[in-house]
Amino acid sequence: MDYIVPPGLYAVGHPSAEAPVLVTANYKMSYDLVRQQMAERDVWLLVLETFGINVWCAAGKGTFGTLELIERIRHSELAKLVAHRQLLLPILGAPGIAAHEVKKRTGFTIRYATIRAQDLPEYLDNGMVATQAMRELTFSLRERLILIPVELVGAMKVSAVIMAALAFVVSVFGGATAAVAAVTGYLGAVLAGIVIAPLLLPWLPGRSFSIKGAIAGMVWALVFSVFIGRSGFTGPTIFAALLGMPAVSAFYALNFTGCTTFTSRSGVKKEMRLALPVMGSAIIACLLLLIGSRFL
Amino acid sequence: MKGFTYLRKVATLKLDQEKCIGCEMCTNVCPHQVFSMAGKTATIVELDACMECGACAINCPVTAIQVESGVGCASGLINEWLKEHNIGSSMGDCCT
């Protein structure tokens, strides 16, 4: 499927030389969102080549960037089409664009308008003044919810391999019941990290994502232990589950930092330095216990 | 950000107030309201809210702001570490 719009200058409605110029990425969804919001208006839309990536991610990678914007202004001969010298950019495009450079090299002044395209109509009607809410990032339950399917698909391949390996090894040494239990336990731990931790993010205790994930995983591990305890599994196996499962959930919750709108690179680095060795040790201890309980 | 805070005292954001000319660009581009104007110069009021996106630094016309920005997800960082140590990676890019 093609999610790319050819970069360049587009007219929405019948824009005059005085009409505002909005800048966006050539990810089809970004382009469509802005166009929908401007459906009843006459504006110019300058689409940058971001190779089908959204504004924020492209700005982070530098494709929604100063040089591309300057090139696109020149190439589209924008200066001949509009009488004014002002561009409206999405606030989340700012990490890629040096506004003063663009001004120096093209004469166009950049105004960072709003974060969300949905706020553009109100922004324009408001005399191009952004309210506090238009400049503030959020991370609502709905915003977190729509990210989860993408994360699930991303984790599917690795999880499938691990579950197949678990099922095979455990069924050889422990039989079918144990294999079903192992796969269920693992799958639950993955889901606790990918689905439950992001959904309950503001309410799970701690600032660290791995701790939030470990708590979600521990709750699942406790429920799971009660079930396998009833099915006749003994101390070491249960202890192994309580060690290994929260570690798996913690890893996936930690990975969710990449999807949030508020975590920093330095924070994630710090957390990884502290949490990865703990997770690794817990997994190793879990496996040793499982192997040990088989031979003791 | 309302309702969300990440680890404290880790953000690498630095503002040199001596250099600041008070253009207010940093207060305009920051999506977490980290900066505020204190008279004629900007000041950092919410360091822990900084997500190190780098928007303020690149848009500061007098380079008064410094921040180490970059990929902030676990798999992205793992890939970076693997590359640094020349270990082949099969995980691919996290967000192309």
Side-chain angles (χ1 to χ4, degrees), chain A residues 54 56-57 139 147 151 201 209 251-265 268 271-272, chain B residues 6 51 70-77 94-95:
Chain A
N54 69 73
W56 197 7
C57 290
F139 204 36
L147 292 167
E151 290 298 285
L201 200 62
F209 277 54
F251 177 79
Y252 280 107
L254 177 54
N255 202 41
F256 191 69
T257 51
C259 296
T260 74
T261 56
F262 67 99
T263 55
S264 64
R265 175 180 169 85
V268 177
E271 191 173 341
M272 283 175 68
Chain B
Y6 195 42
M51 58 170 176
V71 178
C73 62
S75 36
L77 282 168
C94 60
C95 40

Side-chain angles (χ1 to χ4, degrees), chain A residues 16-282:
Chain A
S16 67
E18 306 299 328
V21 181
L22 304 175
V23 181
T24 191
N26 80 333
Y27 175 40
K28 194 168 181 306
M29 206 167 148
S30 313
Y31 169 83
D32 284 344
L33 259 176
V34 177
R35 225 179 34 166
Q36 274 163 23
Q37 294 301 325
M38 294 295 112
E40 306 291 311
R41 293 161 196 262
D42 301 314
V43 298
W44 297 103
L45 193 53
L46 187 64
V47 178
L48 303 191
E49 172 66 279
T50 62
F51 307 96
I53 304 295
N54 69 73
V55 170
W56 197 7
C57 290
K61 302 246 171 192
T63 48
F64 190 95
T66 310
L67 290 179
E68 165 61 16
L69 178 55
I70 291 170
E71 266 314 296
R72 208 50 67 184
I73 292 170
R74 290 194 177 142
H75 198 254
S76 63
E77 303 194 320
L78 183 64
K80 289 183 186 167
L81 284 163
V82 294
H84 62 82
R85 289 292 176 265
Q86 183 171 269
L87 304 173
L88 300 179
L89 266 75
I91 291 179
L92 293 184
I97 309 272
H100 52 282
E101 277 297 313
V102 177
K103 165 87 178 165
K104 203 162 73 188
R105 294 179 50 188
T106 65
F108 279 90
T109 305
I110 286 174
R111 282 182 83 135
Y112 291 107
T114 64
I115 286 179
R116 285 161 290 266
Q118 289 84 337
D119 287 332
L120 277 172
E122 199 190 328
Y123 171 82
L124 292 174
D125 294 340
N126 202 19
M128 295 192 191
V129 178
T131 62
Q132 188 63 25
M134 291 179 192
R135 298 156 173 251
E136 237 179 77
L137 267 173
T138 53
F139 204 36
S140 62
L141 184 66
R142 192 172 164 272
E143 286 169 317
R144 299 198 298 279
L145 193 66
I146 53 179
L147 292 167
I148 290 169
V150 186
E151 290 298 285
L152 279 175
V153 171
M156 217 158 60
K157 211 169 113 186
V158 176
S159 299
V161 172
I162 294 177
M163 284 192 289
L166 259 182
F168 177 73
V169 174
V170 177
S171 63
V172 167
F173 290 102
T177 319
V180 171
V183 170
T184 311
Y186 182 81
L187 182 63
V190 171
L191 294 178
I194 297 184
V195 181
I196 304 301
L199 283 183
L200 301 183
L201 200 62
W203 303 289
L204 284 167
R207 288 169 179 275
S208 145
F209 277 54
S210 33
I211 290 178
K212 288 173 188 282
I215 291 169
M218 186 52 92
V219 171
W220 161 240
L222 288 169
V223 174
F224 179 77
S225 305
V226 171
F227 274 102
I228 61 168
R230 281 190 192 153
S231 313
F233 288 95
T234 53
T237 315
I238 289 172
F239 193 54
L242 292 176
L243 268 175
M245 285 159 54
V248 171
S249 310
F251 177 79
Y252 280 107
L254 177 54
N255 202 41
F256 191 69
T257 51
C259 296
T260 74
T261 56
F262 67 99
T263 55
S264 64
R265 175 180 169 85
S266 303
V268 177
K269 265 187 166 172
K270 181 183 178 187
E271 191 173 341
M272 283 175 68
R273 266 196 302 271
L274 295 170
L276 284 183
V278 178
M279 290 175 201
S281 312

